[in-house]
Amino acid sequence: VTDLIYTYLRDKGFKFINSLNGCRIYALYFIGSTKVSTIPGVSAAGAKPELTLYTPACDVEFLVYGKPKSLNAIPVTPEGIPTPALITRACIKLTELPFNVVDCGSYVEPKIPHIKLPSKYVGELITTGHALPYERVKALFNESSHLAKMLGKLADAIVVGESIPGGTTTALGILVALGYNAWGKVSSSSPNNPHNIKEGIVKEGLKGAGLSISECREDPFKAVSALGDPVHISIAGFLVKALELGIKVLLAGGTQMTAVLAIAKHLGADLSKDVVVGTTRWIIQDNSSSIISLIQEVAPDVPVVAAPLDLTNAPFNGLRYYEEGYVKEGVGAGGTTIVTILKRPLNDVLNAIYSEYSKLVT
Amino acid sequence: VTDLIYTYLRDKGFKFINSLNGCRIYALYFIGSTKVSTIPGVSAAGAKPELTLYTPACDVEFLVYGKPKSLNAIPVTPEGIPTPALITRACIKLTELPFNVVDCGSYVEPKIPHIKLPSKYVGELITTGHALPYERVKALFNESSHLAKMLGKLADAIVVGESIPGGTTTALGILVALGYNAWGKVSSSSPNNPHNIKEGIVKEGLKGAGLSISECREDPFKAVSALGDPVHISIAGFLVKALELGIKVLLAGGTQMTAVLAIAKHLGADLSKDVVVGTTRWIIQDNSSSIISLIQEVAPDVPVVAAPLDLTNAPFNGLRYYEEGYVKEGVGAGGTTIVTILKRPLNDVLNAIYSEYSKLVT
């Protein structure tokens, strides 16, 4: 597959993507909420801060039905730019990609058939340093591992996406708690990455938690309990078990996926093979964040591949905004595009996105 | 596969089973509750009538963890004979069969990762003729169809099991409402099939509902809304969509599966291929019920195949009771055994069951 952008560990990434040809691929979109997204200025994944709590449910309802059910409008940024679930839905329909949704702690229960982790939990404000009870963190990890075990070898490869507004801030929290220099490196759904706000929140949380890096590295559940959210730990649980079973995993997301890798790494997972981060061109070309710097620090053996989505010539204003740094990634948009390009030309993907958008506005 | 009992439509059943060789098989166990199971004498799927409401959750928790979580003991009959989930778990472990659980209306939410239908509903007593609101019936059907669509072609074949105490009584209700002579033909988890109790309940419900057969045949949702439960309609929704997609379905259950077929038939499904009922020897040899008579009436094109499980020589009393007509089927025990026998000798299955049982008693 030469249509993709092999950003980091080019040959290994190329080999992984080619090995997906003919594989049975299943996509799982992990959703959850953190109250961090309601802090003004943190997240652009909703028209207003309080609406970001509805975004995960609406995103996945849109995936299934083509319209949300929990609110009467699809998730948009404050400027009205639509959710990347639009890209994901277009891709899923194009190749009839099998998929499901895993609710790890969505504030609103999605009105679709979905996989529920019984310990689902809405993450608290991390400014206190107490994001989730420690036992919940552990339970979410274990339940998600069991999910991977139950699925077994049904799929050869899994695309794992996420929808959690505020997730780059909690990713920053997890990364920093685990001793990585992630300051100024996580991305944002806004062209003006609010690093100062995110850093203020994480620094306050670090103070509240009072944990040392070595404590967190020894027990990454502590880092998540202090500064995390329900989604990163659940994806980590799934990843660790899937890799043990020899299933390939495409982590479909931006800088947040490095927080997943950090958790898995300090739990002893072997990240030397079968796992790749798949994202969008908008993430890898973003000047206000650095996924490459993060991956080099956290998991230098994990390739990063990007879908060459370019909406410059899109026939809709709302989509052309993506080229100005709005949205960038989410709901597995990049990774889902990557596995779609294995089967269909990029141009078909773009047309499917346009067609999906036109249904929204008419 | 010559080890199986091809009871009805021998050649077609044999061909179907052989076509499963090399297929990717996924098992889904649909669970739910009906308050009918709390009527004394109806169900033996629990130590006491009120405990039958816990059985579906405990059954599937046992599948995943090897012990239930919602109660401190595995589901047993009033005589202490263990749930057929024991057989299902032994089989799943033997071949690492991929599986999940679909909660359509379990009174107790299972403490495992599971697929939730958002319209899940505990069925009311059917004696009133109002088992579930009509809109719920429709919603469960649609959500379960969507589940099949989301899964798409990930699996080539699906084993569909059930756990719903009281389910043969609601199956009788559905079948009779749809105009089939099912009196005295549904099976029971007890050796003394309480036909008179079941028939009394269904007759009272028919009176309360006041529906004609032609009304029900024209709109089977009405039959379910009057005399059904959340599980049969959800399985029917999954079956109808899976068959449309060209996925093979092994309905893993006893006489209840004819109620599923009746719903699907009157919704216009093509039952002429890709669907088989897979059950146990205990069901097809049962003198107090007649799955063959039911299938001939309802869906004469659907083969019935049985797993030749024989626990006469089991080293545990609790298992030998199965040979006296206790339990017989449930949690997809027969169908799951059938797909296990595709890969492993029957003797391995028996030893796995013994070993699972010995873990219970030690």
Side-chain angles (χ1 to χ4, degrees):
Chain A
V1 188
T2 52
D3 257 358
L4 299 174
I5 308 171
Y6 297 94
T7 313
Y8 175 68
L9 298 184
R10 164 178 291 270
D11 292 353
K12 193 173 175 186
F14 187 81
K15 220 170 142 184
F16 177 93
I17 297 295
N18 275 275
S19 78
L20 297 182
N21 267 313
C23 273
R24 296 233 180 182
I25 302 176
Y26 192 36
L28 289 174
Y29 302 100
F30 286 67
I31 66 169
S33 302
T34 163
K35 291 182 186 162
V36 171
S37 71
T38 63
I39 302 173
V42 165
S43 172
K48 292 176 191 175
E50 61 273 25
L51 288 181
T52 57
L53 293 174
Y54 290 80
T55 296
C58 288
D59 271 347
V60 296
E61 289 161 4
F62 175 77
L63 284 188
V64 173
Y65 299 119
K67 60 184 175 196
K69 293 208 159 188
S70 293
L71 277 183
N72 204 9
I74 72 150
V76 291
T77 69
E79 299 81 10
I81 303 157
T83 168
L86 188 89
I87 296 170
T88 310
R89 176 169 160 89
C91 287
I92 283 174
K93 282 171 68 182
L94 210 54
T95 63
E96 293 177 338
L97 179 69
F99 76 101
N100 211 328
V101 163
V102 183
D103 182 7
C104 320
S106 177
Y107 179 80
V108 180
E109 180 177 271
K111 295 185 172 55
I112 55 165
H114 64 275
I115 299 166
K116 178 174 177 176
L117 301 185
S119 296
K120 69 169 279 189
Y121 193 87
V122 173
E124 306 292 344
L125 287 179
I126 65 173
T127 37
T128 60
H130 301 285
L132 295 89
Y134 181 86
E135 287 308 321
R136 281 286 170 135
V137 173
K138 216 168 160 176
L140 285 172
F141 182 89
N142 286 331
E143 288 165 8
S144 198
S145 288
H146 269 288
L147 177 63
K149 195 179 164 193
M150 288 160 70
L151 190 62
K153 295 191 173 174
L154 182 58
D156 306 304
I158 313 268
V159 175
V160 177
E162 55 67 39
S163 172
I164 174 167
T168 56
T169 304
T170 51
L172 175 66
I174 295 165
L175 287 164
V176 169
L178 288 169
Y180 298 100
N181 174 17
W183 305 110
K185 294 180 189 167
V186 295
S187 75
S188 164
S189 47
S190 161
N192 304 304
N193 197 328
H195 285 304
N196 54 337
I197 301 180
K198 295 179 185 178
E199 291 180 19
I201 291 167
V202 169
K203 280 178 178 161
E204 205 179 322
L206 283 171
K207 208 180 290 172
L211 289 168
S212 70
I213 290 171
S214 61
E215 263 179 293
C216 288
R217 288 196 169 187
E218 202 159 306
D219 182 357
F221 295 153
K222 286 186 182 168
V224 176
S225 174
L227 290 152
D229 62 76
V231 168
H232 290 91
I233 187 67
S234 301
I235 296 181
F238 191 91
L239 172 68
V240 167
K241 180 58 75 176
L243 292 178
E244 266 178 43
L245 295 172
I247 310 296
K248 293 178 208 291
V249 178
L250 183 65
L251 292 173
T255 52
Q256 290 182 217
M257 291 303 173
T258 64
V260 170
L261 290 165
I263 297 167
K265 171 183 173 177
H266 293 290
L267 287 166
D270 175 8
L271 303 174
S272 69
K273 58 173 183 162
D274 290 341
V275 56
V276 162
V277 173
T279 189
T280 64
R281 198 187 112 252
W282 304 303
I283 288 289
I284 59 163
Q285 296 186 349
D286 179 29
N287 289 324
S288 77
S289 69
S290 179
I291 192 170
I292 304 307
S293 162
L294 287 172
I295 203 99
Q296 282 175 325
E297 246 194 287
V298 173
D301 288 337
V302 177
V304 179
V305 180
L309 288 168
D310 188 330
L311 297 175
T312 309
N313 299 317
F316 302 99
N317 216 17
L319 290 176
R320 287 194 298 270
Y321 267 112
Y322 273 65
E323 293 304 326
E324 293 175 32
Y326 292 91
V327 186
K328 295 190 191 77
E329 173 63 286
V331 201
T336 309
T337 301
I338 288 171
V339 297
T340 305
I341 292 178
L342 292 174
K343 295 187 172 180
R344 297 289 287 266
L346 178 60
N347 219 38
D348 289 8
V349 175
L350 290 173
N351 285 325
I353 295 168
Y354 302 160
S355 146
E356 207 57 58
Y357 189 89
S358 75
K359 278 178 211 149
L360 276 188
V361 290
T362 53
Chain B
V1 188
T2 51
D3 257 357
L4 300 173
I5 309 171
Y6 297 94
T7 314
Y8 176 68
L9 298 184
R10 165 179 291 270
D11 290 353
K12 193 174 174 184
F14 186 80
K15 220 170 141 186
F16 176 94
I17 297 296
N18 275 275
S19 79
L20 297 182
N21 267 314
C23 272
R24 295 232 182 181
I25 302 176
Y26 192 36
L28 288 174
Y29 302 100
F30 286 67
I31 66 169
S33 302
T34 164
K35 291 182 186 162
V36 170
S37 71
T38 62
I39 301 173
V42 165
S43 173
K48 293 176 188 174
E50 61 274 24
L51 288 182
T52 57
L53 293 175
Y54 290 80
T55 297
C58 288
D59 270 347
V60 296
E61 289 161 3
F62 176 76
L63 284 188
V64 174
Y65 299 119
K67 59 184 175 193
K69 293 208 157 189
S70 294
L71 278 183
N72 205 9
I74 70 150
V76 291
T77 69
E79 300 80 10
I81 304 157
T83 170
L86 188 90
I87 296 171
T88 309
R89 178 172 158 88
C91 287
I92 283 174
K93 283 172 66 182
L94 210 53
T95 63
E96 294 178 339
L97 179 68
F99 75 102
N100 210 328
V101 165
V102 183
D103 182 6
C104 320
S106 177
Y107 180 79
V108 180
E109 180 177 272
K111 294 185 173 56
I112 56 165
H114 64 277
I115 298 166
K116 177 174 178 176
L117 301 184
S119 296
K120 69 169 278 191
Y121 194 88
V122 173
E124 306 293 344
L125 288 178
I126 65 172
T127 37
T128 59
H130 301 285
L132 294 90
Y134 181 86
E135 289 307 320
R136 280 288 171 134
V137 174
K138 217 168 158 177
L140 285 172
F141 182 89
N142 286 331
E143 288 165 8
S144 198
S145 288
H146 269 288
L147 177 63
K149 195 179 163 194
M150 288 159 70
L151 190 63
K153 297 191 172 174
L154 183 58
D156 306 304
I158 313 269
V159 175
V160 177
E162 55 66 40
S163 173
I164 174 167
T168 55
T169 305
T170 51
L172 176 66
I174 294 166
L175 287 164
V176 169
L178 287 169
Y180 298 100
N181 174 15
W183 305 112
K185 294 180 189 167
V186 295
S187 75
S188 165
S189 46
S190 162
N192 303 306
N193 197 329
H195 286 303
N196 54 336
I197 299 179
K198 294 179 187 181
E199 291 180 18
I201 291 167
V202 170
K203 281 178 178 160
E204 204 179 326
L206 283 170
K207 209 181 288 172
L211 288 168
S212 71
I213 290 171
S214 60
E215 262 179 294
C216 287
R217 288 196 170 187
E218 202 161 304
D219 181 357
F221 295 153
K222 286 186 183 167
V224 176
S225 174
L227 290 152
D229 62 76
V231 168
H232 291 91
I233 186 69
S234 301
I235 297 181
F238 191 91
L239 171 68
V240 167
K241 180 59 76 177
L243 292 178
E244 267 177 42
L245 294 172
I247 310 295
K248 295 178 207 289
V249 178
L250 184 66
L251 292 173
T255 52
Q256 290 182 218
M257 290 304 174
T258 64
V260 169
L261 290 165
I263 298 167
K265 170 183 175 178
H266 293 290
L267 287 167
D270 174 8
L271 303 175
S272 68
K273 57 174 183 159
D274 291 341
V275 54
V276 162
V277 173
T279 190
T280 63
R281 197 188 113 251
W282 304 303
I283 288 290
I284 59 163
Q285 296 186 349
D286 179 28
N287 289 324
S288 77
S289 68
S290 179
I291 192 170
I292 304 306
S293 161
L294 286 172
I295 203 100
Q296 283 175 325
E297 246 194 288
V298 172
D301 289 338
V302 176
V304 179
V305 181
L309 288 168
D310 187 331
L311 297 176
T312 310
N313 300 317
F316 302 99
N317 217 16
L319 290 176
R320 287 194 298 269
Y321 268 112
Y322 272 64
E323 294 304 326
E324 294 175 32
Y326 293 91
V327 186
K328 295 190 190 78
E329 173 62 289
V331 202
T336 308
T337 302
I338 288 171
V339 297
T340 304
I341 293 178
L342 292 174
K343 295 186 173 180
R344 297 289 287 266
L346 179 59
N347 219 36
D348 288 6
V349 175
L350 290 173
N351 285 325
I353 295 169
Y354 303 160
S355 146
E356 206 58 57
Y357 189 91
S358 76
K359 278 177 211 149
L360 277 188
V361 291
T362 52

